[in-house]
Amino acid sequence: MDASTPKAVAKAVGAIVEKAAADVAEKLSGGEPPVVPGAPGSETPSLEEPTEPREPLPPKPEQGSPERRTATGEGTDVPPTHVGPRGAYLTTSQGVRLPDTDHSLKAGERGPTLLQDHHLREKITHFDHERIPERVVHARGAGAHGVFVGYGNATPICRAGFLREGVETPVFVRFSTVLGSRGSADTVRDTRGFATKFYTDEGTFDLVGNNIPVFFIQDGIKFPDVIHAGKPHPDREIPQAQSAHDTFWDFVSLHTEAQAHTMWNMSDRGIPRSYRMMEGFGVHTFRLVDDEGATSLVKFHWKPRLGVHSLTWEEAQLLGGIDPDFHRRDLYDAIEAGARPQWELGIQVFDDTPEQTFAGIDLLDPTKFVPEELAPVHAIGLLTLTHTPTNFFAESEQVAFHVGHLVPGIDVTDDPLLQARLFSYLDTQLTRLGGPNFDQIPINRPHAPVNDMRRDGFHQDGVHGGVAPYKPNSMDGGCPFFAGSAEGGYVDAPVPVAASSKVRAAPASYRDHISQARLFWRSMTPTEQEHIVLAYSFELARCFEQAVRERQLQALAAIDAGLCARVATSLGLPVPEAPAALLEALGGQQEEVAASAALSQLGAEWPVEGRQIGIVVDVHGGEDALAAAVEVREAVAAAGLVPLIVAEHGGVLDNGLTVQRTFGVVRSIEVDAVVLLGTPAPAPDAVPARDAKAGGGAGTRLDPRVELLLEEAYRHAKPIGAWGAGEGALDGLGMAGAPGVVAGEGATDVLGEVVTLLGRHRVWERFAPALG
């Protein structure tokens, strides 16, 4: 896979890519999913409590479960849905039917509860132990099932079977934030986890990465330090899920190798629009091994087919209160609506030389990335998320990832952060999941035969036969036997280890903490740079120690003088000089760097499947307005988007459309664009004493909540469309004629232009940046 011929490689795999996508789509198109997601159950409940015994309801169409396999990886004919509750009657955990679960056993109606109440004891005891320790990091997350299809173009450099052309591999993917607890919000400014479990027939492979290709630290021994600094202050346990506080900025301003990651976090990458629109990176450099034993170094990338997009800072703040589950809801609603998220797995390929460097970049330094202009990303497979969990705890909460879960053809390198992770991930499961048999939990069970000679321990589900769990043995006929490379065994790449002395030190190539942060800053468009200035200004303004602010400004001065000056002005502090110590690794001066266009999120067009459009309907606008609402809704759905009908009241309108949002509950952060049908007057509930949002408004004829919806969408650079009476409303709000505000007589033309604008995610030209 020659990095010098990306066009030839792209052409060679183009047909494979389209075939993989088409095959996945065909297999998943068995039924028409609901256009508007959010149904809570697989059947509509009755108004009265049901009394006729029946089996549990089936799962919803979009839900999936782990394949039902034995504890040793053998497939069974038990459907995955049959591992949940069975039977029509309430029972104890031992299957004994119960007549009552509302009253404990007492000595008379008003007497004391009896100790002999075995049902009470069992029920309360289990409840008391329902919680398990949350993850130290990545506690807040959401998972989904899917399938990965290999393109086959990686086989010249990697023997892993799941990468061969057309091979389909079940996967489970978990997205997460790093710092917050399980109960924190999705839309905080933070790094996101992107962990993928491949259930290959050669064993389980876990690709455990982030949405940022660099990390805060170069050596795993510093991991407790950076997490302790980023977590809430131990004296007050605040702030939750934020880096905007003193201890974090105290650490990163002193431990300056964190500056590159911090720059990414302060960019729009720190607040993704959706998990579906989030890039993923393996962070470390890995080693691939081909059939002949030759090796290459690679970096893994996940490229979302919808593009990489972000929230605005104001949207993120609003969502923290209005919908802290926004990313989780967005992911599951998209799958339910049939807009199944897809990513291509790609690799950057490097020669495996003794220096393990490329273009002057140390490939073992996890605080460095390689610009795509220097080493193109080659797509090698397609990931499609197809089903949501049937039970969140059993699947997303109990899934256990480990960077040491490798398959033949994929090996690790000497990256000191990766080396520490190889210990840490396994170690943490022992406490969190109750012992060494966590790999027997259904979501973690391999899809390959397991014969590991391990016995007993907490939660042992396997019933092991034989008498000789040791090697060598003759008592069990010598089984299990060793497997070499020819039999599919995992053989560690025989990489030479240089003669050296034991030291606690880092190589000279690790000393440059600034150039990659500068590369990222210089690669941003003026609009994106404005957002970075805002992020640093907000975060440092939340710090109370003046020394911490000034020290971080010194680091910014070494990265870019203009960035430092703007942040310093916001903080009301003088602009410092760049410290000589930070510039020392750069030869004592701020060198110019070549920008990387691949780092910017702006400038391209992307598919719009699954984007939500709010259709504001005037229920008193007459038959023509109601008919137009039906036409627009159908057109939106036909374009692969999700229509949300917004009206003054809930229920079903006279035209048969179901209202998804009322004026009282809708906010712009729920939709990617707004179209206005008519001029809905203030509704009966638009009373400030009842709804504070009704207290604003520009004095137009519109309901003030609709005005707020339009004003927020306008501020957040979202496309807005209107026709007929709606044009006058936009004019009254001062929006008419602005970039991305589309008006006209025909619904089809207006809607078409709105959808085209959505392909660019935002209409940033609406606001001219001060930078540039």
Side-chain angles (χ1 to χ4, degrees):
M1 186 171 291
D2 186 353
S4 65
T5 58
K7 291 184 178 178
V9 173
K11 184 176 180 180
V13 303
I16 301 173
V17 175
E18 294 306 316
K19 183 178 184 302
D23 288 348
V24 171
E26 183 179 355
K27 291 183 178 181
L28 296 174
S29 60
E32 287 295 324
V35 175
V36 179
S42 57
E43 293 184 12
T44 301
S46 61
L47 184 61
E48 302 295 331
E49 180 181 359
T51 56
E52 188 66 28
R54 56 162 295 170
E55 290 287 318
L57 293 178
K60 296 169 62 180
E62 78 277 6
Q63 291 178 329
S65 300
E67 281 190 24
R68 190 57 183 166
R69 290 177 174 264
T70 68
T72 52
E74 187 66 30
T76 73
D77 58 1
V78 177
T81 54
H82 286 193
V83 299
R86 309 300 299 158
Y89 295 95
L90 177 68
T91 72
T92 68
S93 60
Q94 305 304 311
V96 178
R97 292 182 179 182
L98 292 166
D100 184 290
T101 192
D102 297 329
H103 308 93
S104 54
L105 192 64
K106 297 184 270 302
E109 291 182 354
R110 300 179 61 81
T113 299
L114 300 178
L115 184 61
Q116 75 178 64
D117 190 344
H118 60 93
H119 174 43
L120 168 69
R121 296 200 316 273
E122 180 186 82
K123 183 176 181 180
I124 295 299
T125 299
H126 191 281
F127 172 77
D128 290 344
H129 296 268
E130 279 182 359
R131 294 297 175 264
I132 64 174
E134 69 176 24
R135 293 168 171 88
V136 176
V137 288
H138 298 279
R140 173 76 181 181
H145 298 273
V147 62
F148 177 84
V149 181
Y151 292 162
N153 57 318
T155 53
I157 63 171
C158 184
R159 60 174 294 197
F162 77 97
L163 295 177
R164 299 189 184 280
E165 182 176 350
V167 173
E168 295 187 12
T169 302
V171 300
F172 188 81
V173 179
R174 188 176 186 271
F175 306 103
S176 54
T177 56
V178 171
L179 291 177
S181 65
R182 274 194 67 192
S184 59
D186 282 348
T187 58
V188 295
R189 183 180 294 281
D190 197 0
T191 304
R192 264 69 181 178
F194 192 135
T196 308
K197 185 177 290 291
F198 297 82
Y199 302 96
T200 87
D201 57 9
E202 297 178 300
T204 300
F205 169 55
D206 287 348
L207 181 54
V208 193
N210 290 333
N211 72 322
I212 292 175
V214 294
F215 204 64
F216 287 106
I217 52 175
Q218 296 168 324
D219 194 310
I221 200 170
K222 295 298 296 180
F223 193 75
D225 298 287
V226 66
I227 298 304
H228 287 166
K231 286 285 190 177
H233 292 202
D235 56 347
R236 299 187 178 187
E237 187 64 13
I238 56 174
Q240 175 64 243
Q242 296 183 52
S243 57
H245 54 91
D246 287 283
T247 59
F248 175 81
W249 288 100
D250 180 46
F251 176 82
V252 301
S253 61
L254 289 168
H255 202 65
T256 52
E257 66 193 50
Q259 289 295 319
H261 189 141
T262 302
M263 177 66 75
W264 281 77
N265 237 21
M266 293 303 104
S267 77
D268 291 341
R269 302 272 185 154
I271 42 174
R273 157 63 180 83
S274 165
Y275 291 138
R276 301 178 291 132
M277 303 163 200
M278 188 177 81
E279 212 165 3
F281 303 91
V283 179
H284 309 288
T285 299
F286 290 82
R287 179 173 278 110
L288 299 188
V289 185
D290 68 12
D291 288 328
E292 307 303 320
T295 61
S296 304
L297 299 181
V298 302
K299 285 184 175 291
F300 289 107
H301 295 249
W302 288 112
K303 296 287 188 181
R305 302 194 82 181
L306 294 178
V308 184
H309 308 299
S310 297
L311 297 165
T312 67
W313 180 227
E314 185 187 22
E315 284 179 307
Q317 291 177 304
L318 289 170
L319 282 164
I322 295 171
D323 188 3
D325 306 307
F326 179 73
H327 282 151
R328 183 181 296 179
R329 190 186 314 280
D330 173 271
L331 175 67
Y332 293 154
D333 281 358
I335 294 173
E336 182 181 0
R340 298 177 180 91
Q342 291 186 317
W343 291 260
E344 284 190 304
L345 179 62
I347 52 175
Q348 289 176 298
V349 185
F350 316 100
D351 291 335
D352 191 356
T353 62
E355 295 78 19
Q356 298 178 99
T357 62
F358 178 82
I361 300 170
D362 193 326
L363 297 176
L364 299 188
D365 183 351
T367 67
K368 306 290 195 304
F369 70 96
V370 178
E372 294 182 30
E373 289 78 6
L374 300 179
V377 176
H378 303 285
I380 62 173
L382 178 68
L383 165 68
T384 305
L385 295 185
T386 58
H387 295 88
T388 65
T390 297
N391 183 279
F392 193 90
F393 175 83
E395 297 163 65
S396 185
E397 203 55 35
Q398 290 195 121
V399 66
F401 296 96
H402 177 30
V403 289
H405 288 165
L406 303 165
V407 292
I410 303 177
D411 206 340
V412 298
T413 59
D414 294 335
D415 174 340
L417 176 60
L418 175 56
Q419 292 285 313
R421 293 178 75 194
L422 288 168
F423 167 77
S424 178
Y425 279 72
L426 184 61
D427 182 58
T428 193
Q429 313 300 350
L430 300 179
T431 296
R432 210 178 73 81
L433 295 174
N437 293 311
F438 63 87
D439 50 2
Q440 295 183 18
I441 296 171
I443 193 65
N444 296 322
R445 289 182 179 178
H447 290 197
V450 175
N451 194 346
D452 55 14
M453 295 195 303
R454 293 167 193 158
R455 296 291 188 270
D456 308 338
F458 281 113
H459 314 303
Q460 175 60 257
D461 285 346
V463 182
H464 296 84
V467 296
Y470 51 84
K471 290 286 291 181
N473 78 74
S474 64
M475 299 292 291
D476 283 347
C479 188
F481 297 90
F482 297 118
S485 179
E487 294 81 28
Y490 185 92
V491 179
D492 294 278
V495 180
V497 179
S500 59
S501 301
K502 291 188 292 185
V503 295
R504 290 191 184 272
S509 57
Y510 279 37
R511 295 173 188 164
D512 172 15
H513 301 165
I514 298 302
S515 62
Q516 289 229 320
R518 181 181 302 150
L519 165 62
F520 187 88
W521 167 257
R522 300 283 173 87
S523 301
M524 296 295 99
T525 63
T527 294
E528 292 168 306
Q529 288 182 337
E530 293 281 10
H531 299 164
I532 292 173
V533 170
L534 170 64
Y536 274 110
S537 300
F538 175 88
E539 297 262 325
L540 294 176
R542 300 285 291 183
C543 295
F544 297 97
E545 295 294 342
Q546 191 75 349
V548 171
R549 298 182 185 182
E550 293 178 0
R551 193 188 311 128
Q552 180 57 33
L553 284 176
Q554 291 176 351
L556 294 184
I559 295 169
D560 185 89
L563 167 62
C564 177
R566 288 170 173 83
V567 176
T569 299
S570 174
L571 298 174
L573 295 175
V575 181
E577 294 291 329
L582 286 179
L583 299 180
E584 184 179 352
L586 307 176
Q589 59 183 353
Q590 291 180 317
E591 298 177 347
E592 287 300 317
V593 294
S596 171
L599 297 179
S600 173
Q601 298 181 192
L602 309 185
E605 293 191 8
W606 304 95
V608 297
E609 284 84 358
R611 295 301 188 99
Q612 297 195 151
I613 294 187
I615 305 170
V616 181
V617 180
D618 182 358
V619 298
H620 305 295
E623 293 184 4
D624 290 344
L626 293 176
V630 175
E631 176 187 354
V632 172
R633 185 188 183 282
E634 291 176 351
V636 168
L641 298 102
V642 179
L644 295 181
I645 299 297
V646 183
E648 70 171 45
H649 62 75
V652 179
L653 303 181
D654 292 342
N655 58 5
L657 293 182
T658 299
V659 175
Q660 279 80 46
R661 301 289 187 275
T662 64
F663 296 164
V665 301
V666 71
R667 294 299 289 269
S668 71
I669 46 182
E670 299 181 90
V671 296
D672 297 287
V674 179
V675 292
L676 183 62
L677 308 184
T679 311
D685 65 340
V687 181
R690 184 181 307 166
D691 185 353
K693 299 189 300 299
T700 67
R701 294 174 297 160
L702 274 176
D703 186 293
R705 282 85 56 86
V706 176
E707 286 188 28
L708 179 62
L709 171 67
L710 293 168
E711 288 167 354
E712 286 182 345
Y714 186 88
R715 282 203 308 275
H716 302 154
K718 294 179 179 179
I720 298 172
W723 51 89
E727 288 187 67
L730 296 183
D731 188 46
L733 294 172
M735 299 178 186
V741 177
V742 185
E745 292 298 323
T748 303
D749 292 341
V750 171
L751 185 60
E753 191 168 344
V754 167
V755 173
T756 299
L757 290 168
L758 269 180
R760 299 197 292 271
H761 184 58
R762 306 273 184 177
V763 190
W764 290 121
E765 57 267 33
R766 186 177 292 164
F767 309 108
L771 294 164

